Amino acid sequence: MTSEPTQPAGKYVLFDVDGTLIDAVENQRQVWGTWSARYGLDPDEVYRVALRTRPMETFATVAPDRDPRACLAALHDLEDEDVRSGVYAAFEGATELLSALPSGRWGLVTSNYEHRVRGRFARTGLPVPEVLVDAAAVAEGKPSPVPYLRAAELLGAGPQDCLVIEDAPSGVRSGLCAGMTVWGVNAPVAVDGVHRHFGSLREAVPEILAFAT
């Protein structure tokens, strides 16, 4: 009688995308600014809300009298156009890091959609892993632990063996609630709750590789 094959023991790394691997802050601000102009709203206030909520929650706050489905469709059109024509880049160290990680030991967990991630990665030369959990893959997004737990499941990993790399409070909470180790990058000060803080992704590359390999 033979036993079922098991995933070999090891460590896994789960990355957020926007703000962590891809520098998309100005793109997001411009997209929300254009969206706000269409609805006659204050772009600064809309962006402040959008930074801490999912789009449908943002619409409910800043445009409660508007059809949220129409709001979302307009936002998606702008985001898709940004993927095609926007100017952005991978953070320093991202290409080196992702190329050095063992296959099957890392994945992406994003509040964006897979086709946009693939478009941005293609334009910046970043490799795409087998596991990519996007907004369409889960019923609950960050700060719920569901996205990171789903990624761990797809990798065959236990939460205790996963390292989450994040830049935003909602993503940090998601990883912590999933029972994972969470490191913060690309922020001048540490996000509450992170186990380690790095001012840039570049600074974190050697430590991430040491964890994973």
Side-chain angles (χ1 to χ4, degrees):
M1 181 176 180
T2 59
S3 59
E4 290 292 326
T6 58
Q7 180 77 21
K11 299 295 185 179
Y12 302 79
V13 187
L14 301 174
F15 295 94
D16 173 51
V17 177
D18 293 336
T20 299
L21 296 172
I22 296 284
D23 187 356
V25 172
E26 285 306 311
N27 302 74
Q28 292 170 337
R29 184 182 291 277
Q30 290 175 12
V31 164
W32 278 108
T34 303
W35 183 91
S36 301
R38 290 187 179 182
Y39 289 90
L41 301 171
D42 178 357
D44 291 333
E45 174 61 18
V46 170
Y47 187 64
R48 183 186 66 80
V49 175
L51 280 176
R52 56 184 172 80
T53 60
R54 302 183 82 183
M56 295 301 277
E57 296 164 346
T58 300
F59 306 145
T61 301
V62 303
D65 58 333
R66 300 283 188 167
D67 179 355
R69 292 169 298 181
C71 291
L72 187 63
L75 180 67
H76 282 177
D77 286 345
L78 292 169
E79 290 180 323
D80 287 343
E81 177 56 33
D82 173 70
V83 171
R84 292 189 292 268
S85 62
V87 178
Y88 49 84
F91 282 106
E92 183 181 355
T95 300
E96 169 195 340
L97 172 59
L98 299 188
S99 298
L101 287 170
S103 177
R105 295 289 183 180
W106 65 283
L108 304 176
V109 180
T110 177
S111 299
N112 212 321
Y113 288 87
E114 181 173 353
H115 71 280
R116 294 189 195 119
V117 173
R118 290 186 178 277
R120 289 178 175 182
F121 272 42
R123 291 185 59 193
T124 54
L126 295 178
V128 179
E130 294 179 7
V131 170
L132 196 169
V133 174
D134 71 346
V138 290
E140 298 178 22
K142 304 172 187 178
S144 165
V146 170
Y148 279 111
L149 289 173
R150 177 59 177 158
E153 178 185 13
L154 292 172
L155 285 168
Q160 72 279 1
D161 294 321
C162 293
L163 170 63
V164 168
I165 307 298
E166 270 281 358
D167 74 301
S170 63
V172 168
R173 290 198 301 274
S174 177
L176 292 173
C177 290
M180 299 175 181
T181 300
V182 182
W183 293 355
V185 298
N186 297 334
V189 297
V191 176
D192 288 346
V194 295
H195 297 102
R196 293 187 68 178
H197 167 70
F198 300 87
S200 69
L201 179 67
R202 170 76 268 175
E203 294 174 24
V205 167
E207 300 299 327
I208 295 171
L209 291 176
F211 176 95
T213 59

